[in-house]
Amino acid sequence: MKLIWRDRREIIMKKSKWVSLLLAGVMTLALAACGSQDTVTNNPTETVGGSKAETTETKVSTQETEETEAPVKPDEPAGQLIIGSTTDLSKEFYDAAFDNTAFNYKMYSMLHDGSTIAFTKEGKWEVNGTYVSKLMEADNENGSKTYTITLQEGLVWSDGSSMTAKDYVFAILLESSPQMMEVDGYPANGFTHLEGFDAFAAGETTLHSGVRLIDDKNFSITVKAEELPYHYDLAYAAVTPRPMEVLAPECDVVDSEDGASVSGEFTADLLMKTINDPDTGYRYNPQVVSGPYKLMSYDDSGRQGVFEVNSLYAGDYRGVKPLIKTVILKTVKSETQLNELEAGQVDLLFGISGGESIGAGLDLVDKGIVSKTTYFRNGYGKITFDCSQFPTDSVNVRQAIALTLDRNEFARQYSGGYASVVHAAYGLAQWEYQDSKDWIDENLDTYEKDLDRARELLIADGWILNKDGAAYQDGDGLRYKDVDGELKSLTIEWCNTSGNPVSELLSTMLPESMAELGMELLATTTDFPTLSAAMSHEGAKVYNMYNLGTGFSNQHSPWYYYSMDEIWMTAGYNSNWIKDQELADAADALQSIPYDEEAEWLNTWQTFIKTWNVKLPDIPLYSDEYHDFYSIKLNDWDQTSIWSWSNALLDAWVAE
C-alpha cells in the first residue's frame, strides 16, 4: 500500500480537518440530498472532490521563473486562461443530473452559484454569508426540522435583474416537479428529503408542503422526520437559485398555508422550450446566471467553451471574485497535451496522472517553463461492472475476473510510481483510508493474480460445460453454463474509450489470462459519451464492464451509490446497477451517524468497505497522486483534493 515517489522536490506535508458535505456537481447545484461522484475516463485529467476529518495531503507548488520584476496582481479581471482536459466538455450547462462527466462536473459552479451553504477552502461548511444574512433552524414536534433563510440585500443575476427568495423557492419546485422529469428524464431527486416532496413529485398536488415563500427575502424548507438524523444534516439547508423569469416566464411562485406552488402555465412543454431547446434552452445556452462566469460560446466540433467574467457576481462565501477575465475550457489529447502546454496552446492541465504524462510535465518544470501543484486523489481508477447483466451479475464471475489481473504490475506500469493499489472504494486522500491502513492490510482480500483460485470460483458458479454441453475439460476453449435449460457462454463484453492509456494497458494484460480460464473478452472501443450512455442504460447497448475512474464528492454518500431504490439506480448514482441487500445495508448504516461521531463512522465505514471488497462491484485499480501543470503566467494556483480547479480559479490571476 506504500506510495512510491519519484520526485520529492519541495514536498510539504499538511494535515487538515474538514467537514465533507458537498453534493453532486458541487453544492452550488442544489442537489442537496445526494453526494454524486463525477464520472471520468482514466485519461489523466480527472477531477476529484474531498473528504471529511483528518487526512494527510501532499501538496507541491513551484513557480520557477527568472529573476525579473515580480508580476503585479490586477485590481480588475484581466487576461485569459486556457484549461485543457482529455475528458470532453459536453454541451451541457445545467447540472450534473444531465451530465456528470469530469470537465462538466466542476464547470457547472462557474455558471451557477448563490448556494445558501458554502464549502470553504479550509474544508469547513458554513452558512454562505455572501447570499444569506440569517439562517434559523427549528426542531418540530413531529421530528421534522425547519430551516428559515433570510437573503442578503441587493442580490442580482448576471443580467442585472433582482435575485429574490422566489428564485430559490422556484428552484426547489422546478427540480422536484413532474414537469421537469419530462425534460429528458431529469431525475428530480435533489430535494427528496423535504416534507411534501413525494406527493408533489408524483403530481398528486401542485402545492409543496415542505417549502414556504415568506416574502422576497425570506423562505423556509422543512426536512422530513424520517430523513433525520443524517450524517450531513447541514446539506439539507442548501439551495441554489434558478432564474424563474427565464425558465418559467409569465409564471410566479405563490404561497399558501399548505405550501408553495408555481402559478401560471407551468408545463412540460414550456420547460422543453425554455430548458431543452437545443439552441436557446437554458440547458445548452444559459444566458442569465449566478456564478462567477458567463458562457460566451461553445464549439461543438472542438468541444470547447469560452467563458467571461460575470461582472455582477456577488462573490463566493468570502466575497472573492475572479480576476481572470476569460477562461477557455478546451479538449486535449492525452498524447499531445504536454506539447500543447509547452507551445502555449493551453495554459493549465489539471489532475494529470500516469507516469509518462507526469514525467513529461516534470521535464517542463525542470526547464523552468511551467509550474506544478500536486495532491492525493480523492477517488480511484477502476473497472466498473454492470451487475445487472449476465454473467457479471454473479459475484463469482466478478471475483474471477479480478484474479486474472496483476493489479500491482498494472499500477506500476501505468503510474510510473505515482499510485498505490487500492482494494475497495476508497482513495488516498480520504481520512478513513489514512486511519485504516493497518486494518485494510489485515482484513481485505487483495485479489492477487491467481488463476487456480479463479477457476475454482467459476466451477462453483456452474461454468462446467463446453459448447456441446459436455463436461468442460482443459483445452475446450470457452466455458458454458446451463441457465434454465439454455447453454450460455462465459463472454464478457467490455466497453472502453479510444486513446486511453488504461484501456491500452488492460488490453494487453486481461485477454490471455481470461482465455486461459475459458473466458471470452469482447472489447468495444468508442467515445466517452457513448460509454456513459451505455453505463446509464440509455445507449443502444449495455456492456458487462467499463474502465474509467471516479472522484468522490465532499458529501461522500455510499448509501446512494449502492441503493436498490429505483430513484438512485436510474439517476446514475448506483452506476453498477447492483441489487445486493447486504451491500445496501452496509452502506445505508453510515447515513444516520452524527457527523461528530468519528469513531462510529470509521467502524461502520470499515464494515461497509469489507462488504464491498467481497461483493466487488468494481475492480479497484489504483488511487494516485495528481499533478497540475501550468504556465508560469498563472499565479496563486491552489487546487487541492478538496478545492477543485473551478474553485481555485477565483483566487488565481494571470500576468500576460
Side-chain angles (χ1 to χ4, degrees):
M1 302 292 294
K2 184 178 180 181
L3 188 66
I4 302 171
W5 299 98
R6 283 180 50 192
D7 181 16
R8 295 178 176 269
R9 291 170 290 183
E10 301 181 59
I11 291 179
I12 304 170
M13 298 301 294
K14 305 192 298 186
K15 286 194 174 183
S16 61
K17 196 171 184 74
W18 57 66
V19 177
S20 49
L21 200 55
L22 192 59
L23 312 180
V26 189
M27 184 70 80
T28 56
L29 303 180
L31 301 179
C34 37
S36 174
Q37 306 173 95
D38 59 336
T39 304
V40 299
T41 70
N42 279 323
N43 289 314
T45 45
E46 301 163 18
T47 56
V48 297
S51 60
K52 177 196 173 191
E54 193 167 11
T55 196
T56 301
E57 176 190 318
T58 300
K59 182 165 185 266
V60 182
S61 181
T62 63
Q63 297 268 356
E64 299 180 18
T65 61
E66 296 180 3
E67 293 187 2
T68 58
E69 185 176 345
V72 178
K73 186 175 182 177
D75 295 324
E76 299 292 335
Q80 173 181 284
L81 186 73
I82 304 174
I83 303 175
S85 172
T86 56
T87 302
D88 287 346
L89 179 72
S90 300
K91 189 181 180 182
E92 293 278 2
F93 301 104
Y94 193 84
D95 68 21
F98 282 127
D99 189 317
N100 71 334
T101 50
F103 220 5
N104 286 71
Y105 187 79
K106 301 300 183 185
M107 173 275 297
Y108 297 121
S109 64
M110 294 175 63
L111 297 172
H112 312 296
D113 199 357
S115 177
T116 51
I117 304 297
F119 181 69
T120 72
K121 190 175 182 181
E122 293 73 31
K124 302 291 184 180
W125 278 97
E126 61 183 44
V127 174
N128 189 344
T130 300
Y131 295 88
V132 176
S133 67
K134 183 170 60 176
L135 183 148
M136 297 185 296
E137 59 180 81
D139 295 323
N140 303 315
E141 290 184 1
N142 65 355
S144 64
K145 177 181 287 189
T146 296
Y147 294 97
T148 301
I149 298 163
T150 302
L151 299 176
Q152 295 284 9
E153 297 285 343
L155 299 176
V156 296
W157 293 95
S158 60
D159 66 348
S161 60
S162 294
M163 182 188 298
T164 73
K166 285 187 176 182
D167 294 307
Y168 284 82
V169 172
F170 174 73
I172 299 172
L173 298 176
L174 170 70
E175 292 167 5
S176 304
S177 69
Q179 291 89 343
M180 186 64 177
M181 294 180 201
E182 293 187 43
V183 181
D184 278 1
Y186 187 84
N189 57 16
F191 298 98
T192 59
H193 56 284
L194 296 185
E195 277 192 352
F197 170 85
D198 301 288
F200 183 80
E204 297 171 4
T205 176
T206 59
L207 300 173
H208 195 314
S209 62
V211 188
R212 299 299 301 273
L213 175 68
I214 300 171
D215 56 37
D216 279 352
K217 297 301 177 192
N218 296 273
F219 68 98
S220 69
I221 56 176
T222 300
V223 179
K224 299 173 183 174
E226 59 265 32
E227 293 287 341
L228 298 166
Y230 179 59
H231 187 65
Y232 303 108
D233 57 357
L234 188 59
Y236 288 149
V239 186
T240 297
R242 294 292 190 185
M244 181 181 66
E245 292 186 4
V246 173
L247 302 183
E250 299 183 11
C251 294
D252 199 3
V253 170
V254 295
D255 190 70
S256 73
E257 62 181 12
D258 295 318
S261 64
V262 181
S263 66
E265 294 299 315
F266 182 66
T267 65
D269 287 342
L270 172 68
L271 300 181
M272 287 297 289
K273 181 182 296 184
T274 61
I275 293 177
N276 222 45
D277 183 282
D279 297 316
T280 61
Y282 198 80
R283 175 180 176 183
Y284 305 110
N285 190 19
Q287 291 300 301
V288 178
V289 296
S290 55
Y293 285 90
K294 300 183 294 184
L295 175 69
M296 304 306 294
S297 65
Y298 177 80
D299 175 21
D300 283 289
S301 60
R303 292 186 176 268
Q304 175 174 297
V306 178
F307 302 78
E308 287 195 0
V309 160
N310 170 13
S311 62
L312 299 179
Y313 175 56
D316 70 358
Y317 70 96
R318 303 163 298 175
V320 173
K321 302 177 183 181
L323 286 175
I324 301 175
K325 182 178 181 180
T326 304
V327 176
I328 298 174
L329 303 186
K330 177 182 179 181
T331 299
V332 295
K333 300 292 185 183
S334 59
E335 59 269 23
T336 59
Q337 59 184 334
L338 272 303
N339 293 333
E340 290 194 53
L341 179 62
E342 183 176 17
Q345 297 168 343
V346 66
D347 302 313
L348 167 66
L349 300 172
F350 63 88
I352 297 294
S353 63
E356 184 175 347
S357 295
I358 291 173
L362 292 176
D363 287 343
L364 298 182
V365 173
D366 288 339
K367 292 178 182 179
I369 58 177
V370 305
S371 301
K372 70 173 182 181
T373 298
T374 81
Y375 44 94
F376 284 144
R377 179 178 185 170
N378 188 43
Y380 62 106
K382 60 181 182 172
I383 293 173
T384 292
F385 289 118
D386 189 318
C387 301
S388 71
Q389 301 298 299
F390 182 86
T392 46
D393 57 347
S394 166
V395 65
N396 282 41
V397 170
R398 299 195 298 268
Q399 290 180 347
I401 295 173
L403 291 165
T404 67
L405 179 64
D406 186 339
R407 293 184 301 132
N408 288 296
E409 178 61 18
F410 173 89
R412 186 193 69 78
Q413 288 193 39
Y414 171 68
S415 76
Y418 290 98
S420 178
V421 174
V422 295
H423 306 303
Y426 58 84
L428 296 180
Q430 286 183 282
W431 74 273
E432 296 94 336
Y433 161 73
Q434 297 288 338
D435 285 5
S436 301
K437 290 180 181 179
D438 291 340
W439 179 89
I440 285 171
D441 290 340
E442 295 168 2
N443 288 275
L444 297 191
D445 190 335
T446 60
Y447 292 99
E448 300 289 339
K449 184 177 180 180
D450 187 338
L451 298 189
D452 289 335
R453 181 184 167 196
R455 188 176 292 107
E456 291 171 1
L457 286 168
L458 295 176
I459 291 171
D461 203 46
W463 298 97
I464 55 176
L465 304 175
N466 62 21
K467 62 182 177 61
D468 299 318
Y472 186 88
Q473 303 291 330
D474 289 343
D476 279 352
L478 189 58
R479 287 180 182 270
Y480 287 78
K481 180 179 182 177
D482 187 326
V483 181
D484 298 328
E486 181 182 355
L487 208 57
K488 292 192 173 183
S489 66
L490 187 50
T491 299
I492 306 298
E493 297 211 55
W494 167 37
C495 183
N496 59 76
T497 51
S498 58
N500 188 326
V502 170
S503 303
E504 293 165 2
L505 185 54
L506 288 174
S507 68
T508 67
M509 298 182 71
L510 280 176
E512 184 176 350
S513 295
M514 291 177 70
E516 188 173 337
L517 290 174
M519 290 186 187
E520 179 182 31
L521 182 64
L522 297 181
T524 298
T525 300
T526 185
D527 56 26
F528 191 69
T530 302
L531 180 146
S532 182
M535 283 188 63
S536 60
H537 292 191
E538 295 175 353
K541 184 177 177 59
V542 177
Y543 300 83
N544 293 107
M545 70 184 204
Y546 312 82
N547 62 280
L548 63 161
T550 191
F552 300 139
S553 71
N554 290 337
Q555 182 203 354
H556 183 42
S557 307
W559 46 87
Y560 297 123
Y561 311 156
Y562 304 104
S563 171
M564 296 189 292
D565 190 324
E566 285 299 317
I567 195 171
W568 305 117
M569 300 277 295
T570 58
Y573 291 86
N574 187 341
S575 59
N576 298 102
W577 297 83
I578 186 169
K579 291 187 176 182
D580 186 289
Q581 191 65 57
E582 187 178 359
L583 180 60
D585 289 346
D588 192 61
L590 289 159
Q591 185 170 2
S592 61
I593 298 173
Y595 188 81
D596 55 0
E597 296 293 338
E598 292 189 9
E600 183 182 357
W601 172 273
L602 183 61
N603 289 335
T604 309
W605 179 85
Q606 289 175 348
T607 299
F608 158 67
I609 287 296
K610 189 171 183 177
T611 305
W612 191 103
N613 176 255
V614 173
K615 303 298 183 178
L616 213 66
D618 302 331
I619 299 177
L621 297 175
Y622 61 89
S623 185
D624 43 3
E625 179 201 12
Y626 276 143
H627 285 64
D628 292 353
F629 295 113
Y630 45 92
S631 166
I632 59 174
K633 78 175 187 179
L634 179 61
N635 294 269
D636 292 342
W637 185 251
D638 197 23
Q639 178 170 203
T640 71
S641 62
I642 64 167
W643 193 247
S644 74
W645 61 265
S646 55
N647 298 123
L649 273 177
L650 295 186
D651 291 302
W653 51 282
V654 294
E656 297 287 6

